[in-house]
Amino acid sequence: MRNLNRTILLAMILWFAAPLGALAQASAAAPPGPGEKLTLQRAVALAVQNSRELALARIRQAVAENTAGVSRSQFLPNLYTGTGAAYTNGFPLLGGSAPSVFNLSYIQTLFNPPVRGQLRAAEERAGSQRLEVDRTRDAVIVRAASAYLELAKARHALDLLRRERESAQKIVDITRERLAAGLELPIELTRAQLSAARVEQRIAQYEGREEALAADLRNLTGLAPDAPLEVEAQSLPLPPEQPIGELVALALQNSPELKQAEAERRAREHRLKGERGGYFPTIDAVVDYRILGRFNNYDAFFNKFVRTNVSAGVRISIPIFSAKTSAAVALARSEFSAAEQELKLKRTALEMDVRRQARSARELDAAREVARLELQLARDTLSNLQAQFTEGRASLRDLEKARLEESDKWMAFLDADFARQQAQLELYRSTGQLARLFP
């Protein structure tokens, strides 16, 4: 009785938990409301949900599975019926067989190695297309996450540049005043104006980039072209330290591209085995039922006319000489050899790419740390100059120059941080660990 109560309680928990889980998934992929910020996780979920590339990959998967089903149908029962009438003068023949009022035919392939090889190759390619869906999903995740992170970086950079514009303009005004008072050379004014013009140029560049990224992210997530898009600066969680050898092993184990190459190799191997079996007989089960009519003069040509006829048995075809089989075997062997070489090349290229990505990620992580320390130094310098300016020991122009320097270091840090995150995304993708970030 106690076990029965536990079973009922567990069933009730699962019954309530299933709708809650579906509701949680739906809310994660729901568009943000008015004034609500779009989080990185929700942006990726919306991109996966609305991706046209992913929808196309799923359709191609269905096409591949249906193609395998067509090949499989030859080994399943096939039943045909029909009727017809024909005028005959002489021996009754119609298209090589006797015309019948009604006929029913059953045929099923029992043994045909070439067709069986084609079926197994089609099944392998259907499995490969399922891997293509996973590969496309990973590509959509990386693209959406990169667009989101870069958009947040671009907007932060624009805020910094607009403050930098104010500082540059203050320096121009101060330099112009000092020039009028005879305390500066004209070249200093030109230098200050050039710095201000460079800031304006960078603002124009970032505004264009921000507009393009926002449009791309709206398109990826399925939002309306004029929908407000609020993002927030987020950092990807740093992975635990993993040796390069471990990363390479994960990539070789999880890479969809490598699995697809392996599936294609197996498909061509099945095709080769099947074509080699073309030297053996093929066997089909055949049943034929026919109702004949006297109006075709069967009784004039046969000693005994039977209107209802049934034939059942197997049809065996024995190849004696087939030039087509030899050519098919040679073609399948060359295709199999090509697939083996492609697999080896992809395995080597994948290993080299992962090693390069791992080294690049570590270098970019070190570069980010350098940029962070340079930013901290610039902020400390600005803080000291602010204190000196308050005490009257530093000029306003020196203070504004320090603010420009801090802004430049902020920009360098944002660039380094984004480069590091983008490299980390690619490494996660190559090693099959994107599910850790976006389950």
Side-chain angles (χ1 to χ4, degrees), residues 5-19:
N5 292 334
R6 289 179 178 175
T7 304
I8 295 174
L9 179 61
L10 179 61
M12 292 180 65
I13 292 173
L14 292 175
W15 187 79
F16 283 108

Side-chain angles (χ1 to χ4, degrees), residues 26 170 323:
K170 286 181 181 179

Side-chain angles (χ1 to χ4, degrees), residues 11 35 205 308 412:
Q205 291 172 346
T308 302

Side-chain angles (χ1 to χ4, degrees), residues 29-32 38 42-52 144 214-227 229:
L38 180 68
R42 183 175 292 186
V44 169
L46 284 171
V48 171
Q49 176 183 324
N50 297 295
S51 171
R52 298 181 184 90
D216 190 24
L217 190 57
R218 287 190 184 95
N219 181 55
L220 284 170
T221 55
L223 299 178
D226 56 347
L229 189 58

Side-chain angles (χ1 to χ4, degrees), residues 171 175 179 184-193 397 401:
I171 293 175
T175 305
L179 177 62
E184 291 287 358
L185 297 174
I187 192 173
E188 295 299 330
L189 178 59
T190 305
R191 185 176 287 115
Q193 290 173 336
R397 188 170 66 169
K401 284 184 177 180

Side-chain angles (χ1 to χ4, degrees), residues 192-266:
Q193 290 173 336
L194 176 60
S195 298
R198 285 172 175 166
V199 172
E200 291 294 338
Q201 181 187 26
R202 295 178 71 183
I203 288 175
Q205 291 172 346
Y206 270 93
E207 284 177 344
R209 183 60 181 160
E210 187 268 343
E211 183 179 351
L213 288 168
D216 190 24
L217 190 57
R218 287 190 184 95
N219 181 55
L220 284 170
T221 55
L223 299 178
D226 56 347
L229 189 58
E230 294 293 330
V231 298
E232 56 185 1
Q234 292 182 243
S235 295
L236 297 176
L238 286 174
E241 189 69 22
Q242 291 177 292
I244 292 182
E246 183 178 340
L247 293 172
V248 170
L250 284 172
L252 294 176
Q253 178 183 351
N254 300 320
S255 170
E257 291 87 350
L258 192 59
K259 289 180 179 180
Q260 285 179 302
E262 291 171 348
E264 182 61 25
R265 177 193 173 279
R266 291 192 299 269

